Amino acid sequence: MERLIVNDGIKKSKIPARLDLAQSGTGLVLGLFMWVHMCLVGSIVLGKGSFNFVAKTMELSFLSSTGHGYPSVVFFAVLGVFSLFIIHAALGVRKFPISWKEHTIIRSQMGMMKHSDTNLWYWQVVTGFIMFFLGSAHLFIMLTHPGQIDPYLSADRVFSSHMWPLYLVLLVCVELHGTIGLYRLCMKWGWFGGKDPVKSRKRLKMLKNRITIFLLSLGLIALLVFFIIGWRHSDRVGEPYNLGHITVIAGTAPDLSVVPGEPEANDHTISNEE
Amino acid sequence: MKVIYTDSLVIGGGLAGLRIAIASRQRGYDTIVLSLMPAKRSHSAAAQGGMQASLGASIKGEGDNEEVHFEDTVKGSDWGCDQDVARMFVNTAPKAIRQLTAWGVPWSRVRKGDRQVVINGKKVTITEKGEAHGLITSRDFGGTKKWRTCFTSDGTGHTMLYAMDNKAIELGIPVHERKEAIALIHEDGVCYGAVVRDLVTGELTAYVAKATTIATGGYGRLYAVTTNAVISEGIGTAIALETGVATLGNMEAVQFHPTAIVPVGILTTEGCRGDGGLLLDKEGYRFMPDYEPDKKELASRDVVSRRMTEHMRKGKGVSSRYGDHLWLDITLLGKEHINKNLREVKEICEYFLGIDPVKEYIPVRPTQHYSMGGVRTKATGESPNLKGLFSAGEAACWDMHGFNRLGGNSVAETVVAGMIVGEYVADHCASTTLNINTVLIEKFVRREENKIFKLLNREAGENPFELRKEMQDIMMDKVGIFRNGDDLAQAVEELKKLNQRAKNIALKNRISTSNPELVEAIRVPKMIKLAQCVAYGAMLRTESRGAHAREDFPERNDKDWLKRTLTTWNSEDADLPEVTYEELDIMKMEMPPGSRGYGVDNTVHHPDTEKRVAGIEEIKTAHPDADRFEMQELLNPIEIPEKFRGKNERTGRGFK
Amino acid sequence: MSDQERTLTFHILRYNPQIKGDTPTMKRYEIKEAPGMTIFIALNEIREKHDTSIQFDFICRAGICGSCAMIINGQPDLACRTLTSKFPEGEIKLLPLPGFELIGDLSVNTGKFMRQMSERVESWIHDQNAENVDLCKLEERMDPDTADEIYELERCVECGCCVSACATKRMREGFLSAVGFMRLARYALDPRDKRSDEEFYEIMGDDDGVFGCMTLLGCQDYCPKDLPHQTQIAYLRRRMALVK
Ligand SMILES: Cc1cc2nc3c(=O)[nH]c(=O)nc-3n(C[C@H](O)[C@H](O)[C@H](O)COP(=O)(O)OP(=O)(O)OC[C@H]3O[C@@H](n4cnc5c(N)ncnc54)[C@H](O)[C@@H]3O)c2cc1C
Ligand code: HEM
Ligand code: HEM
Ligand code: SF4
Ligand code: F3S
Ligand code: FES
């Protein structure tokens, strides 16, 4: 069919479409990844054994005969996530109110309207900005110490290496940013609209709030547990939970009854049995 | 002095103005539209109910055609209309609507199969034919034999105006917004354009053109309570009057709409009653069948408005702090229908009354609504007295409405007149050359400058807002639905005084740029003159016809009054307009005067009526084989621009 | 409606750019409330009784024409249909719509903006045959539901609330804004408009177009005519993202 639009004949680039898809795609993957990540890290709440089990499983220890696992798996995982993170951040930065003028406008707009979704976006920008630094730091550490995910070593990082303030801020940021982002994704692409999109929006927003609260609580408790373990372990910094190569012997699955924060002599004995 | 030259200058960016601009642009003439506001905000956007065109696609419109539409229109006008024009109109309306369809109006369409409607207070099932599926549907409106009013839910005018303006944008027609024409430039019976004030900068510019068209809408704001927009002040009509040359037609013909909400006067569309809504009194009693057993709520507007007023005078109105009112009940239409087809009405009820029309009655009373009168034109849309001056739409008295216009015929008029007059405007542009002395332009611009200068420099004087309010109250109380000699005489006297006082307006805010008080001061004297035309014309017309109802002369008097009122304002110093009359020739009427079929027929007939009836009979017997087209040609031969002459196709009957 | 009379306090931004040296200031006006009073009625009273120079735009005063949008206590809305009784405190702060050229006080030039928007999105039916339609013949049929859906989007009154409510638009001058998206969605839906997705992409396929929308949804929340911005912008985005 002949062209109906008269223009200068220069066709618009398809790049903006791809970038938008990439932004959403990376956001989606990161957002969902963070749910999983939170649950995995949160396993510390159930006890060092659980966390240890998770950590080792992540290193695919069940595939290796020694039970040692392959820390390189973690390395590559982190590398992947890190790349996504950077791509996503680079795309996100385009949307930042970069100049002072833009910043003043958005602030005055928010002050005037008090409109919740506009405010949410602003929080995404702020949290994104913070994560740019803190997230990178965390990922860098994970990248360079892939084998050091371990109840004690992690706890030492949190407490003795003074990472907890970073984690605290990062936690708040990522949970806000991630869930808002996922809610916005649904709006942006019209997912889960249902028959009455206005009502669905309300429902999604409520769901978003609930998820944020859940993940934040879980994260805070986990951080507290790390903190306490780290504090108790502060005389033995650097000594891993798995001295050498430890496999959990069949039948001696981690003791789920252990209350976090209690002296864990018992636990200790089990793991040192071999 | 700033001067802008163009071929076709159109004052007014409503439906009528834009359509004319499109016509002259499409014929290749340089065209400029002036508007007080962005064109899409023109009052045409407020028309909710619909546009009449005899498409006859809906089952209840079956059998409709130009003849039936013509009959309804002439009857509705109480035989006051120009039948040639009414003919041109009904024949072209189907084409107008089809063109608008191609330009994007999303008319509501026929859906085949059963549907529930409310007729005469009862739920009835009607079955739309399969062959009509997807064609433009129509609804019932007052004073029509068939369901003929085509609509887009209840945003008809809005969608029409948007399509029209979008078309104008496509054609690159410049719309100069926030500009007000305050005087016409003319000499020796030829109009050369207008002096225009920029409402933001205050600057005066002369727009000089071969053809100048006034399409500025109605003059509802002469009344205190009206359904009209606040810019419907009749300024375009007034500047034509102020030329002293151009005539205004039938200014006393002012329509009151039965159902505007109380107190603010915002309209609830006729569609409410068309779709089955009822009028109830304070006892919840449906009174209209007592007065009009045949058409009930769907009698012509003027009739329903009068019946409502009569009923309230009997003490049956609901009293409120804003005076008496009646109820409009649309609860029986059901939530779904209201939410879909009467949504604007629902919004209006929610926002302005705080009620839910699905469950509650709406307080309504008759309110000023439409100006049948306006700049008198020939069938070509040109002023008979001032060459090069055209007019169309509500501003004009092209005269297809006579003394009462039917609901839905007005937006239809704007577009049809736009098409037809637009062609004549283009013809005029083709056949004239612009020959004007700049001295003349300067004279007019200086004159207006002087007036403004005086206004800005007067130390003390009248307050324009107060003058306006007094005028509006006089019109409301004494030149309303029912009129009588005493009140009218008083109104004329009082308006005379106001006219004097209006020469002595002084301002508080004395700046020449954007200044709403100055705008008011420029407009108010013009409006008072128009009010005088209405009141004086009403006083002189000692009969009742259509919307003009004299309590002291209740009969329609064809013998003495089958004529059109023409008004001029001869000199600046005059206190009263000059009124003359133009006879309507019964011997040329396709449809000689008869009964409208409301109440008792107490018409005083004209001797020619019988002659013409007999004459028509003769013609009919002499041509027994003539079809309706040939018959019309014999009875009422008319000129329509070539483009719009063909026969109109209808579903189920082709071009027959 | 309560019959109790209260005194309303209006705080109105006053600024006339036509007067050299004038600076924006907030001015205070007090008037007695009347039953059923809208901001339209109140402002006219202020103009007639207190300050004849104050500028604002009303036309239909019935919530139909879209000329009276302004910021009312922080929210963009149509002033003519806002009842003063809505504000229990009796304090009403009025500002002109941000993001438009200011004409004076509460009056802004939405007309210029909307015309440019219409030209940019080519807000008309694109069909080479439209001008050759035989007006005598039956009109082209349209599915009744399609007609209703188009009308849903045609209800926009170009009031500009969605433009002012969008922080993206305010930050990025060139951003098309929600009213433009609604217009595009309207034509994209209309079978009479023969533009292809590729052609629509030329209009909105960049960061000034649909990919620049950050889904703030102020447009959805402040549109006085309740247009479905949320779903329609998403729809356009999906359609445009898939253009090859
Ligand atoms: C509430 C309401 C509902 C209605 N519903 C229906 C209906 O359902 N069906 C129907 O058929 N009719 C209806 N009508 C009547 C119909 O809408 C109008 O008669 C018709 O739209 C008038 O159109 P117009 O083009 O003549 O003028 P308008 O649309 O009023 O346009 C006037 C134009 O002139 C401009 N203008 C005015 N003065 C000047 C000046 N001095 N200088 C420059 N520009 C100027 C204005 O800016 C505006 O652009 C309704 C009317 C009202 C009030
Ligand atoms: C350096 C860190 C980050 C920055 C600077 C950043 C920035 C942004 C920005 C500005 C947006 C808004 C995009 C828009 O409005 O179009 C966004 C969206 C989003 N972000 Fe991030 N982000 C970062 C990290 C993350 C992380 C770690 C996650 C995972 C939880 C995440 C998940 C999301 C999601 C799901 C969206 C929504 C996607 C979309 O709108 O298309 N972001 N991000
Ligand atoms: C594959 C990549 C990642 C791995 C392997 C990983 C691993 C871990 C581990 C092992 C911990 C426990 C503390 C520690 O050992 O130091 C942790 C905590 C944390 N991580 Fe990550 N992480 C990854 C990516 C991210 C990203 C992208 C973010 C967000 C930007 C993030 C945010 C956090 C936060 C906030 C905590 C603290 C949680 C708490 O204690 O409540 N992580 N992460
Ligand atoms: S989309 Fe809504 S808010 Fe935006 S201009 Fe149209 S009516 Fe106003
Ligand atoms: S507010 Fe603005 S950012 Fe998009 S969703 Fe609406 S246009
Ligand atoms: S004045 Fe028309 S919408 Fe408010």
Side-chain angles (χ1 to χ4, degrees):
Chain A
M1 182 178 168
E2 67 275 69
R3 296 188 56 75
L4 296 172
I5 296 176
V6 200
N7 67 1
D8 45 14
I10 303 167
K11 281 197 92 178
K12 267 214 167 103
S13 150
K14 297 292 163 341
I15 289 176
R18 308 285 171 266
L19 294 186
D20 201 45
L21 281 169
Q23 166 119 58
S24 290
T26 51
L28 178 67
V29 174
L30 284 171
L32 295 177
F33 166 76
M34 284 317 294
W35 287 8
V36 175
H37 169 284
M38 211 55 248
C39 292
L40 298 183
V41 174
S43 65
I44 191 70
V45 177
L46 301 179
K48 292 191 282 282
S50 314
F51 183 79
N52 191 48
F53 173 75
V54 167
K56 293 300 136 195
T57 311
M58 289 293 116
E59 290 173 9
L60 305 182
S61 58
F62 50 89
L63 289 184
S64 74
S65 52
T66 57
H68 211 111
Y70 310 96
S72 55
V73 174
V74 176
F75 174 83
F76 285 109
V78 178
L79 195 67
V81 171
F82 209 170
S83 320
L84 280 180
F85 180 86
I86 287 170
I87 295 171
H88 176 82
L91 291 170
V93 168
R94 296 180 308 153
K95 310 278 167 127
F96 277 26
I98 303 164
S99 68
W100 179 246
K101 187 173 148 234
E102 286 179 356
H103 198 246
T104 328
I105 290 175
I106 177 116
R107 292 300 306 178
S108 80
Q109 182 86 357
M110 287 166 63
M112 177 185 94
M113 290 204 312
K114 308 195 170 37
H115 175 246
S116 77
D117 281 42
T118 306
N119 296 356
L120 286 180
W121 180 80
Y122 187 76
W123 286 113
Q124 260 203 305
V125 169
V126 171
T127 52
F129 184 69
I130 298 172
M131 278 196 286
F132 196 72
F133 304 100
L134 305 189
S136 305
H138 171 57
L139 283 163
F140 186 73
I141 293 170
M142 287 301 139
L143 197 64
T144 47
H145 304 80
Q148 297 194 10
I149 301 178
D150 167 287
Y152 282 136
L153 298 181
S154 292
D156 285 345
R157 255 199 305 276
V158 170
F159 182 76
S160 302
S161 311
H162 309 296
M163 283 291 277
W164 63 268
L166 181 141
Y167 280 142
L168 189 63
V169 177
L170 188 59
L171 176 70
V172 173
C173 288
V174 77
E175 294 320 339
L176 285 178
H177 186 100
T179 40
I180 296 173
L182 292 174
Y183 157 76
R184 193 181 301 290
L185 266 180
C186 298
M187 295 298 116
K188 194 169 166 180
W189 297 96
W191 298 335
F192 308 109
K195 264 216 176 98
D196 183 349
V198 175
K199 232 188 235 151
S200 310
R201 173 170 168 216
K202 275 206 192 100
R203 245 184 259 130
L204 281 171
K205 208 164 188 177
M206 203 147 73
L207 187 65
K208 165 194 88 72
N209 289 338
R210 292 202 180 136
I211 293 176
T212 311
I213 292 171
F214 169 75
L215 291 176
L216 257 182
S217 318
L218 179 62
L220 285 174
I221 296 172
L223 196 57
L224 187 71
V225 173
F226 273 126
F227 190 88
I228 293 170
I229 297 174
W231 183 27
R232 296 226 169 123
H233 195 249
S234 52
D235 48 345
R236 284 168 291 154
V237 174
E239 179 187 305
Y241 182 77
N242 303 290
L243 288 171
H245 51 286
I246 291 168
T247 331
V248 180
I249 304 157
T252 53
D255 184 353
L256 298 183
S257 66
V258 175
V259 183
E262 266 185 18
E264 283 142 273
N266 208 7
D267 200 6
H268 218 80
T269 5
I270 295 170
S271 34
N272 284 332
E273 239 172 22
E274 248 194 296
Chain B
M1 190 179 65
K2 208 168 138 189
V3 185
I4 293 176
Y5 292 92
T6 182
D7 293 323
S8 169
L9 173 68
V10 181
I11 308 174
L15 279 171
L18 289 172
R19 185 60 188 84
I20 287 187
I22 289 170
S24 41
R25 184 78 208 95
Q26 282 185 328
R27 292 264 301 268
Y29 297 101
D30 189 51
T31 306
I32 295 177
V33 177
L34 302 177
S35 177
L36 299 173
M37 287 292 163
K40 285 196 176 85
R41 309 227 189 284
S42 298
H43 201 46
S44 297
Q48 303 167 351
M51 159 168 177
Q52 286 210 33
S54 56
L55 300 179
S58 160
I59 189 79
K60 292 296 237 173
E62 212 173 34
D64 202 4
N65 61 25
E66 293 83 358
E67 271 59 44
V68 190
H69 191 185
F70 178 74
E71 210 175 286
D72 285 341
T73 304
V74 175
K75 260 193 197 166
S77 80
D78 223 353
W79 277 271
C81 72
D82 181 332
Q83 296 198 4
D84 293 359
V85 170
R87 241 313 156 188
M88 292 165 88
F89 164 74
V90 297
N91 285 9
T92 316
K95 298 189 180 68
I97 206 165
R98 283 171 179 160
Q99 184 164 60
L100 283 172
T101 312
W103 290 356
V105 176
W107 301 107
S108 295
R109 303 293 177 132
V110 177
R111 187 190 306 274
K112 66 174 174 230
D114 289 352
R115 86 189 149 105
Q116 280 234 319
V117 294
V118 176
I119 298 176
N120 194 13
K122 286 186 207 69
K123 288 215 164 86
V124 183
T125 304
I126 59 177
T127 313
E128 297 285 3
K129 285 189 177 160
E131 63 180 39
H133 185 79
L135 294 174
I136 298 171
T137 189
S138 54
R139 58 160 55 130
D140 202 1
F141 245 38
T144 64
K145 262 205 189 123
K146 301 279 177 189
W147 289 24
R148 184 185 304 124
T149 306
C150 306
F151 60 97
T152 354
S153 296
D154 60 358
T156 314
H158 172 89
T159 55
M160 289 171 71
L161 185 62
Y162 271 52
M164 196 70 92
D165 190 45
N166 287 334
K167 184 77 193 171
I169 295 174
E170 178 187 356
L171 295 172
I173 297 171
V175 179
H176 294 193
E177 296 169 8
R178 295 183 189 261
K179 308 270 187 207
E180 176 165 14
I182 56 172
L184 291 177
I185 301 170
H186 66 101
E187 190 179 49
D188 300 333
V190 182
C191 179
Y192 292 105
V195 181
V196 175
R197 180 169 180 274
D198 186 312
L199 294 173
V200 179
T201 64
E203 190 185 21
L204 295 189
T205 306
Y207 282 72
V208 175
K210 290 180 180 172
T212 306
T213 306
I214 294 183
T216 50
Y219 45 84
R221 286 280 153 179
L222 300 183
Y223 287 82
V225 185
T226 165
T227 62
N228 285 194
V230 298
I231 56 165
S232 299
E233 302 186 304
I235 302 306
T237 316
I239 60 176
L241 179 70
E242 283 183 334
T243 57
V245 184
T247 47
L248 306 188
N250 287 346
M251 289 297 284
E252 66 272 33
V254 176
Q255 183 177 72
F256 285 74
H257 193 290
T259 58
I261 62 169
V262 177
V264 280
I266 296 170
L267 184 80
T268 57
T269 166
E270 186 147 331
C272 291
R273 278 170 297 132
D275 292 357
L278 304 177
L279 291 168
L280 308 177
D281 65 14
K282 69 174 179 189
E283 281 132 29
Y285 175 71
R286 183 184 176 198
F287 57 91
M288 274 311 290
D290 294 351
Y291 294 97
E292 298 297 339
D294 198 20
K295 292 237 95 186
K296 307 181 183 78
E297 278 82 2
L298 286 171
S300 230
R301 278 186 186 168
D302 56 328
V303 177
V304 180
S305 290
R306 281 198 294 273
R307 295 310 194 190
M308 288 169 75
T309 311
E310 267 179 79
H311 201 64
M312 286 194 280
R313 285 181 177 179
K314 288 184 189 159
K316 298 291 187 171
V318 187
S319 44
S320 79
R321 57 183 297 150
Y322 302 105
D324 285 0
H325 65 76
L326 294 160
W327 298 117
L328 171 63
D329 171 16
I330 57 169
T331 58
L332 68 170
L333 305 185
K335 188 170 171 173
E336 201 188 323
H337 182 91
I338 294 175
N339 284 346
K340 187 167 153 259
N341 285 326
L342 298 169
R343 190 148 120 196
E344 299 288 342
V345 173
K346 188 176 147 87
E347 276 186 16
I348 287 168
C349 288
E350 282 169 356
Y351 283 101
F352 295 93
L353 297 169
I355 64 163
D356 179 0
V358 174
K359 299 194 199 99
E360 290 162 275
Y361 296 164
I362 310 169
V364 294
R365 91 178 141 218
T367 301
Q368 195 288 339
H369 181 57
Y370 186 80
S371 324
M372 273 77 72
V375 181
R376 176 67 189 134
T377 71
K378 301 184 276 191
T380 57
E382 193 176 15
S383 161
N385 322 81
L386 198 52
K387 266 182 81 172
L389 179 70
F390 291 79
S391 182
E394 195 173 340
C397 179
W398 193 35
D399 218 6
M400 53 164 280
H401 302 306
F403 275 74
N404 174 58
R405 74 128 173 139
L406 295 183
N409 254 358
S410 171
V411 287
E413 176 194 12
T414 59
V415 185
V416 172
M419 291 163 85
I420 294 175
V421 175
E423 291 306 319
Y424 289 115
V425 166
D427 288 349
H428 179 87
C429 290
S431 65
T432 34
T433 48
L434 197 54
N435 204 341
I436 181 173
N437 194 332
T438 46
V439 178
L440 178 71
I441 304 176
E442 191 145 352
K443 184 180 108 188
F444 276 88
V445 175
R446 292 283 167 265
R447 190 186 78 187
E448 295 307 310
E449 261 172 12
N450 258 329
K451 282 191 202 160
I452 292 171
F453 180 81
K454 275 195 198 143
L455 276 174
L456 291 173
N457 286 287
R458 196 170 287 127
E459 293 290 335
E462 299 286 343
N463 174 337
F465 296 105
E466 271 167 25
L467 288 179
R468 170 207 184 86
K469 190 167 180 314
E470 285 182 41
M471 171 200 68
Q472 288 175 331
D473 289 340
I474 295 170
M475 294 300 284
M476 205 66 202
D477 296 342
K478 301 186 174 133
V479 200
I481 299 188
F482 281 108
R483 302 165 172 182
N484 64 64
D486 293 342
D487 279 354
L488 290 168
Q490 268 183 33
V492 170
E493 272 316 300
E494 288 169 22
L495 289 168
K496 246 190 217 172
K497 287 195 197 107
L498 281 189
N499 183 42
Q500 286 301 332
R501 285 167 60 195
K503 292 177 179 159
N504 194 29
I505 292 176
L507 305 182
K508 294 197 191 79
N509 177 35
R510 284 150 59 178
I511 59 167
S512 70
T513 57
S514 53
N515 176 356
E517 195 187 10
L518 177 58
V519 172
E520 193 75 13
I522 293 173
R523 289 181 190 169
V524 163
K526 296 187 182 353
M527 292 171 75
I528 293 176
K529 282 184 192 151
L530 286 187
Q532 279 177 286
C533 295
V534 177
Y536 192 46
M539 185 184 90
L540 295 180
R541 185 174 281 271
T542 49
E543 66 151 355
S544 293
R545 183 180 297 276
H548 172 68
R550 288 281 299 253
E551 288 163 308
D552 40 358
F553 297 94
E555 70 290 336
R556 187 181 94 204
N557 183 347
D558 288 350
K559 191 154 87 37
D560 304 310
W561 286 106
L562 197 58
K563 47 194 177 189
R564 187 173 296 119
T565 314
L566 296 179
T567 320
T568 49
W569 198 280
N570 288 341
S571 97
E572 266 296 294
D573 314 315
D575 268 340
L576 267 185
E578 193 87 1
V579 172
T580 55
Y581 294 94
E582 180 184 352
E583 294 287 338
L584 300 185
D585 187 356
I586 293 179
M587 295 315 287
K588 286 204 178 122
M589 284 186 186
E590 181 176 349
M591 198 172 139
S595 163
R596 273 176 92 195
Y598 297 118
V600 234
D601 178 22
N602 50 6
T603 311
V604 181
H605 282 286
H606 192 283
D608 280 356
T609 303
E610 253 176 53
K611 275 191 236 161
R612 180 61 177 162
V613 172
I616 291 177
E617 238 4 87
E618 230 168 77
I619 297 176
K620 278 190 177 158
T621 29
H623 301 85
D625 302 327
D627 64 10
R628 62 188 182 97
F629 303 104
E630 288 156 358
M631 194 43 72
Q632 182 227 310
E633 197 52 42
L634 287 166
L635 296 178
N636 189 14
I638 47 158
E639 273 287 309
I640 298 183
E642 180 67 42
K643 286 186 186 172
F644 310 125
R645 259 181 227 164
K647 293 179 184 172
N648 299 307
E649 189 185 5
R650 289 182 180 77
T651 176
R653 61 192 274 192
F655 289 94
K656 291 238 174 61
Chain C
M1 286 179 205
S2 105
D3 280 1
Q4 222 176 350
E5 280 199 352
R6 332 183 263 173
T7 301
L8 298 171
T9 312
F10 282 85
H11 304 269
I12 300 175
L13 182 112
R14 300 301 312 275
Y15 174 49
N16 186 348
Q18 297 292 325
I19 300 175
K20 284 212 178 66
D22 197 17
T23 48
T25 42
M26 292 301 292
K27 285 213 179 127
R28 221 180 104 105
Y29 303 90
E30 282 187 359
I31 60 166
K32 281 256 173 299
E33 186 172 35
M37 184 178 247
T38 58
I39 294 187
F40 161 71
I41 298 173
L43 280 175
N44 274 297
E45 193 171 320
I46 293 174
R47 182 192 272 174
E48 283 164 32
K49 302 221 173 105
H50 298 275
D51 190 338
T52 57
S53 66
I54 181 167
Q55 299 179 58
F56 44 76
D57 295 323
F58 288 97
I59 297 184
C60 70
R61 58 87 178 85
I64 300 172
C65 72
S67 54
C68 64
M70 54 182 77
I71 304 294
I72 304 166
N73 283 353
Q75 322 279 310
D77 207 343
L78 298 179
C80 70
R81 66 172 204 191
T82 304
L83 292 167
T84 52
S85 58
K86 205 174 128 186
F87 306 101
E89 315 293 316
E91 298 269 331
I92 299 170
K93 190 172 155 197
L94 302 178
L95 302 173
L97 275 192
F100 295 95
E101 178 187 309
L102 183 74
I103 288 175
D105 304 337
L106 300 173
S107 170
V108 294
N109 200 341
T110 46
K112 186 168 154 192
F113 177 95
M114 294 299 170
R115 170 99 184 195
Q116 282 166 356
M117 178 278 290
S118 296
E119 283 167 356
R120 177 161 162 195
V121 305
E122 304 193 0
S123 167
W124 54 84
I125 299 280
H126 287 59
D127 179 359
Q128 309 241 297
N129 297 323
E131 268 322 303
N132 307 324
V133 171
D134 184 349
L135 300 180
C136 298
K137 293 223 178 97
L138 287 187
E139 65 276 7
E140 205 171 311
R141 286 166 205 266
M142 184 186 272
D143 181 66
D145 291 325
T146 309
D148 290 347
E149 280 163 34
I150 298 172
Y151 176 61
E152 232 8 67
L153 296 170
E154 275 253 329
R155 291 180 78 246
C156 166
V157 293
E158 297 196 348
C159 63
C161 285
C162 59
V163 179
S164 288
C166 174
T168 309
K169 170 67 194 169
R170 299 223 29 225
M171 285 190 289
R172 315 225 194 291
E173 196 46 46
F175 180 54
L176 177 57
S177 81
V179 60
F181 295 138
M182 289 304 101
R183 193 58 54 82
L184 283 166
R186 181 239 172 279
Y187 285 100
L189 194 68
D190 196 327
R192 291 169 294 192
D193 193 316
K194 305 290 187 262
R195 276 179 279 189
S196 62
D197 278 0
E198 284 75 18
E199 284 162 320
F200 280 121
Y201 190 94
E202 293 303 309
I203 297 174
M204 59 174 147
D206 59 17
D207 281 352
D208 274 343
V210 73
F211 302 122
C213 164
M214 302 191 286
T215 323
L216 306 183
L217 296 180
C219 49
Q220 166 87 35
D221 295 337
Y222 291 101
C223 174
K225 292 285 151 184
D226 295 326
L227 264 75
H229 295 261
Q230 178 192 328
T231 40
Q232 290 303 323
I233 299 178
Y235 166 72
L236 289 177
R237 192 191 292 273
R238 288 199 303 272
R239 228 168 121 168
M240 290 303 106
L242 294 176
V243 170
K244 297 247 163 46

